[in-house]
Amino acid sequence: MNASTPSTDLIHSAYRLLKQDIYYDKMDLFLRANVAAYESSNSFQKSQHSLTIIVNELRNGTPSLKFQQAIKAWLKHVDFRLLPKSVALPSAHEKSNNTTNTSPRFISNVRTAEKYVLKDGGVQYFIDAPVELYILSTLWCMIVGPELDRDLDDGCFGNRLDFGSVEDIGNTSKLFKIFHFQYTKWRDTAIKRAEELLEQGTSSVIVSLDIKQYYYHLDVDWQKIPKSSVKSLRKLSNSLTAILKDIHISYRSVISNFLAQKHSGFNDTKPEGIPIDLPSSRVLANWLLTPFDRAVREKLQPAYYGRYVDDILIVTQTPPDVVVNIGVEEILKNLLLKRNLLRPSEDKTEYILCCLPNLSIQGAKLIVQHFDKQHSRAGLREFIKQIKQEASDFRFLPADERGRELDACAYDIIYDGSINKLNEVATRQSGILAIFHASLFYFSTTPTIVGSNGF
């Protein structure tokens, strides 16, 4: 590489932060392999040099025709990888796990079937693009990301940047704050606040919301994306946002036909969505939900509001007994519907976010836990004990212990369904999918099993 310049420093920092982020993220091991192949290739230095020139030209205006064509070439290679999200259990296992079934139950250690059926929305479309686009996406996080991150609610815990401005990059080794610290804080603070209300003699409820297929339903108004607050980087920030928009368009064009097959209700008129597993998407996903964060704060004024990307926990004082005695629908009406935070869908199976009507919450995944001050706190205490023992996010699983964890997960799933779970905050099922992803990566890199086309 040539002598250091502001543009080379930016590219070096972006690539360093991208690699660090991949190191902590166990979700997309394919990207980890792609970055390793990129750095070990003979064209690595040439690619880094080209990126430096592009950034330098973008800082001064528009890149030359040569590098405009290079960016277009990268965009043409935007593709996706399918990874399973939810698989329907074979019918025999579904019957054995049905706790409401009055028939004798059959429990077996056979956890395989001749075929597996993916549930509606049971796959995720991870972006698969040239590493250069991931680097530019990371650079956008460095330059534009802080402008969006500082606008976030204090209760937003997931995917928070580890720096306040691009000028702080040299003082951090991480792009995002390490997820499990943030996740633990999000979850434990909600439970602690509910405990505090009980200790103060106030009954409380914990409301858990899970936004349906969040990334696919987001719409980005690119005109509202701010410029960098650093004057010398404003042209660059605008150009990077334009490139990001082109990445989103390319991604949506390659997944659109497939999306309609496994995610009901999608068509060309639906929102553009944002690419799963692109660093910049994590910043955008946080920022695009801020209208709902503010609405809850202003209209409900809860004892606690916390969001981890698209999972939301709300702790508030229990509505009057007459409301609680009617049931969960009346509680939701009292807390969220009458304040115009949510409204029922036409078929009454979902709740629509009033301020963001593209987004909805499945009724089946909306959970209200009620803790009466005059009754036992055993359920809350048991839940606290349980979540300390179980990791809910599958990236907690050690990558080098696939065999042991797979046995543990397969056994655990038989008994899945504890009443103390808070919308799968302590779920076991995500663990077995993590093992599947890790094993899939292992076998996909074995030449005797997978051909040259990969997955």
Side-chain angles (χ1 to χ4, degrees), residues 250-268:
S250 297
Y251 167 78
R252 186 62 181 221
S253 68
V254 296
I255 72 166
S256 56
N257 291 335
F258 299 92
L259 193 62
Q261 296 177 29
K262 291 308 299 180
H263 293 73
S264 59
F266 275 93
N267 54 56
D268 292 339

Side-chain angles (χ1 to χ4, degrees), residues 311-343:
D311 289 318
I312 297 167
L313 293 176
I314 300 172
V315 180
T316 190
Q317 183 175 337
T318 301
D321 289 343
V322 64
V323 173
V324 175
N325 292 338
I326 295 175
V328 65
E329 291 186 0
E330 193 65 21
I331 294 174
L332 292 173
K333 180 180 178 180
N334 181 274
L335 294 177
L336 303 177
L337 273 66
K338 78 174 187 180
R339 291 177 169 85
N340 292 321
L341 294 170
L342 300 179
R343 59 178 173 81

Side-chain angles (χ1 to χ4, degrees), residues 134-152:
Y134 287 91
I135 295 172
L136 292 175
S137 172
T138 304
L139 184 58
W140 181 91
C141 291
M142 292 164 47
I143 295 173
V144 183
E147 311 298 331
L148 305 182
D149 191 84
R150 68 173 61 102
D151 195 38
L152 298 178

Side-chain angles (χ1 to χ4, degrees), residues 11 112 140 152-153 171 215 317 332 359 366 372 390 407:
I11 290 298
T112 58
W140 181 91
L152 298 178
D153 185 88
N171 300 321
Y215 273 44
Q317 183 175 337
L332 292 173
L359 303 178
L366 197 160
D372 193 293
E390 298 179 350
D407 284 345

Side-chain angles (χ1 to χ4, degrees), residues 31-291:
L31 177 56
R32 188 180 294 192
N34 288 345
V35 169
Y38 168 76
E39 186 164 329
S40 61
S41 69
N42 294 331
S43 60
F44 172 68
Q45 295 294 344
K46 180 180 178 181
S47 172
Q48 292 278 290
H49 183 62
S50 295
L51 284 168
T52 299
I53 296 176
I54 289 173
V55 167
N56 192 55
E57 292 183 352
L58 289 176
R59 294 185 68 173
N60 297 314
T62 305
S64 65
L65 179 61
K66 174 184 176 181
F67 289 109
Q68 288 182 41
Q69 291 173 340
I71 294 171
K72 289 180 180 179
W74 294 332
L75 291 169
K76 287 181 180 179
H77 284 88
V78 170
D79 206 341
F80 67 91
R81 292 188 185 276
L82 283 176
L83 288 179
K85 180 183 179 184
S86 54
V87 181
L89 286 173
S91 58
H93 299 312
E94 288 180 343
K95 292 177 181 177
S96 70
N97 283 340
N98 185 3
T99 56
T100 62
N101 195 337
T102 57
S103 303
R105 298 183 66 196
F106 173 70
I107 297 177
S108 172
N109 65 345
V110 177
R111 308 303 296 171
T112 58
E114 292 183 2
K115 66 177 182 179
Y116 297 89
V117 178
L118 294 171
K119 296 180 181 179
D120 181 41
V123 294
Q124 295 281 44
Y125 298 83
F126 280 63
I127 187 170
D128 182 21
V131 173
E132 288 88 349
L133 293 183
Y134 287 91
I135 295 172
L136 292 175
S137 172
T138 304
L139 184 58
W140 181 91
C141 291
M142 292 164 47
I143 295 173
V144 183
E147 311 298 331
L148 305 182
D149 191 84
R150 68 173 61 102
D151 195 38
L152 298 178
D153 185 88
D154 290 339
C156 182
F157 291 92
N159 296 334
R160 296 303 300 264
L161 293 174
D162 196 50
F163 48 90
S165 72
V166 66
E167 295 161 333
D168 299 331
I169 293 296
N171 300 321
T172 183
S173 61
K174 300 185 295 295
L175 182 59
F176 296 99
K177 293 180 180 180
I178 296 184
F179 80 95
H180 55 266
F181 296 133
Q182 295 295 105
Y183 187 91
T184 301
K185 186 187 298 184
W186 165 73
R187 176 197 65 194
D188 292 358
T189 305
I191 298 165
K192 181 180 179 181
R193 191 69 188 102
E195 263 196 310
E196 290 173 350
L197 288 177
L198 290 175
E199 290 171 357
Q200 295 165 7
T202 302
S203 300
S204 64
V205 291
I206 303 178
V207 181
S208 174
L209 310 176
D210 180 5
I211 298 178
K212 179 182 177 182
Q213 300 172 5
Y214 182 50
Y215 273 44
Y216 303 122
H217 286 87
L218 290 173
D219 235 343
V220 183
D221 185 345
W222 297 100
Q223 298 299 319
K224 292 184 178 180
I225 303 295
K227 300 177 181 179
S228 172
S229 57
V230 180
K231 186 176 180 180
S232 62
L233 296 176
R234 286 177 185 169
K235 287 184 179 179
L236 176 59
S237 66
N238 283 347
S239 297
L240 288 172
T241 298
I243 292 172
L244 203 61
K245 180 180 178 181
D246 289 338
I247 296 174
H248 285 219
I249 293 171
S250 297
Y251 167 78
R252 186 62 181 221
S253 68
V254 296
I255 72 166
S256 56
N257 291 335
F258 299 92
L259 193 62
Q261 296 177 29
K262 291 308 299 180
H263 293 73
S264 59
F266 275 93
N267 54 56
D268 292 339
T269 64
K270 287 291 183 179
E272 177 187 291
I274 61 176
I276 295 177
D277 211 36
L278 196 66
S280 50
S281 292
R282 292 155 70 178
V283 176
L284 287 169
N286 270 345
W287 181 68
L288 290 169
L289 203 53
T290 52

